[in-house]
Amino acid sequence: PEGEDWRVITAAGELLARGMCDLIILGDREKVLSLASEHHVDISHAQIIDPRTADDKEDFVQSLVRIRGHKGMTEAKARQTLEEDFTWYGTMMMEKGLCDGMVSGAIHTTADTMRPALQIIKTGPGVSLVSSVFFMLLPDRVYLFGDCAINVDPTAEELCQIALSCAETAVAFGIEPRVAMLSYATGTSNSGPIVEKVRLATQLAKVKAPLVAIEGPTQFDAAVDKDVAAIKLKGAASQVAGRATVCVFPDLNSGNHTYKAVQQAARCIAIGPIMQGLRLPVNDLSRGCTVGDVVNTVIITCNQAISAKQRQEAA
């Protein structure tokens, strides 16, 4: 929905050139094409829609009033919202089945990107919480870190849902989920409110997903380093310790700081935040994003859309 930003247009050209997906770009047609020409980008195979003049705008107005009328949404307000904030228009396209996913955030805040999705798309079947995950691309491995962007202080039940969503995201990308529920203690080495919250979340997750390898509480070093794990677990058998692929943090403070610390200290690529738990995929870019960030996020969104369709067909 941010077709008047040069990074989005440049990324669109690269995605189309690589044949990665079909693209719909929202924005003023003349401005979009002018940007493409200015940056020597071919977007001739993309569909360009200006929500202010779109044929289906009035249909979207009526649908938005039907969905949000109980919250005070009027026709006039719906029309203004769709014309002024294209993220809402893109969200309504998803709701109508006209597109499979959306990437926004290059010029929108996270709140502005996610609000329409939370109010219109909502969570998928059996999911109680929207959360986020980062793909941490190190030279020799990939970790999933969650939740590092959305939920400030999740309860044990919410932490359980975050873990299950992260495991599902891992599977969607061909990564075997070995989930470490992180804390400042490993096993029974310490106690405290955070440790007990993580312990309960781990127990709940094991009941809900008995086939997924989930262990906690554990410290980060024991989760990813086999030698450390052998010492701290005193040789006890473990499917996760020293081999974790998914790291679930107990709160936003620890998760957000850790992903940024790893990104900066290891100079690794961090792709995200990737939203999970929504019925259809919507992902948020940083306003400081690069063209590469946009490309990577669109590709991940495509993968999520494919997984969403497969779940729908299997239901």
Side-chain angles (χ1 to χ4, degrees):
E2 299 170 319
E4 296 174 20
D5 184 286
W6 72 270
R7 295 165 297 177
V8 172
I9 294 303
T10 305
E14 181 176 335
L15 288 160
L16 291 167
R18 293 165 61 182
M20 298 301 297
C21 57
D22 296 326
L23 289 177
I24 301 170
I25 300 173
L26 302 184
D28 180 278
R29 184 175 184 84
E30 289 187 9
K31 289 182 180 179
V32 171
L33 293 176
S34 177
L35 267 179
S37 176
E38 180 182 343
H39 292 275
H40 309 290
V41 173
D42 179 10
I43 57 169
S44 57
H45 292 291
Q47 182 181 0
I48 302 172
I49 298 175
D50 187 342
R52 290 161 294 204
T53 59
D55 293 337
D56 51 13
K57 181 180 69 176
E58 290 305 312
D59 178 49
F60 285 12
V61 167
Q62 297 303 318
S63 295
L64 190 51
V65 171
R66 175 177 52 79
I67 297 170
R68 299 294 298 170
H70 68 290
K71 292 292 186 178
M73 182 66 73
T74 63
E75 286 191 17
K77 187 176 180 180
R79 190 173 294 108
Q80 180 181 11
T81 297
L82 292 166
E83 290 179 352
E84 294 181 357
D85 187 346
F86 296 172
T87 300
W88 280 92
Y89 188 91
T91 304
M92 289 304 299
M93 289 190 71
M94 295 175 64
E95 175 67 13
K96 293 283 190 176
L98 300 176
C99 65
D100 301 311
M102 183 174 70
V103 172
S104 186
I107 58 176
H108 288 83
T109 65
T110 296
D112 287 339
T113 295
M114 297 308 299
R115 188 180 299 110
L118 293 172
Q119 293 181 2
I120 304 299
I121 304 301
K122 302 182 180 178
T123 57
V127 179
S128 58
L129 186 74
V130 173
S131 60
S132 72
V133 68
F134 276 84
F135 286 79
M136 308 299 293
L137 310 186
L138 279 78
D140 60 343
R141 70 193 72 183
V142 176
Y143 291 120
L144 275 69
F145 284 6
D147 178 355
C148 304
I150 299 295
N151 296 285
V152 176
D153 187 17
T155 64
E157 291 75 14
E158 290 171 335
L159 202 57
C160 165
Q161 180 62 71
I162 291 168
L164 298 181
S165 293
C166 287
E168 186 174 315
T169 297
V171 170
F173 288 86
I175 299 171
E176 182 182 353
R178 295 189 290 271
V179 184
M181 306 292 283
L182 300 181
S183 180
Y184 59 81
T186 297
T188 58
S189 67
N190 208 330
S191 61
I194 293 177
V195 176
E196 297 312 314
K197 178 176 79 168
V198 173
R199 196 185 312 280
L200 176 56
T202 303
Q203 294 169 354
L204 294 172
K206 285 183 174 183
V207 170
K208 290 189 174 183
L211 299 181
V212 178
I214 303 174
E215 294 182 9
T218 184
Q219 293 159 289
F220 185 84
D221 55 356
V224 302
D225 188 297
K226 290 183 180 179
D227 293 334
V228 174
I231 294 170
K232 292 193 173 182
L233 271 69
K234 301 178 180 178
S238 171
Q239 292 180 287
V240 176
R243 306 172 60 235
T245 55
V246 178
C247 295
V248 178
F249 295 87
D251 54 37
L252 184 58
N253 184 56
S254 58
N256 190 267
H257 277 89
T258 301
Y259 106 76
K260 289 181 178 178
V262 173
Q263 180 187 35
Q264 294 299 318
R267 294 298 174 189
C268 74
I269 297 172
I271 301 178
I274 302 303
M275 302 301 165
Q276 49 192 17
L278 287 167
R279 180 167 53 87
L280 297 170
V282 175
N283 282 312
D284 177 43
L285 297 164
S286 163
R287 280 169 287 174
C289 65
T290 65
V291 172
D293 292 333
V294 181
V295 170
N296 288 335
T297 304
V298 170
I299 292 172
I300 285 175
T301 305
C302 289
N303 195 304
Q304 288 179 307
I306 292 170
S307 295
K309 284 189 175 182
Q310 290 173 341
R311 288 195 302 270
Q312 186 176 15
E313 289 170 358

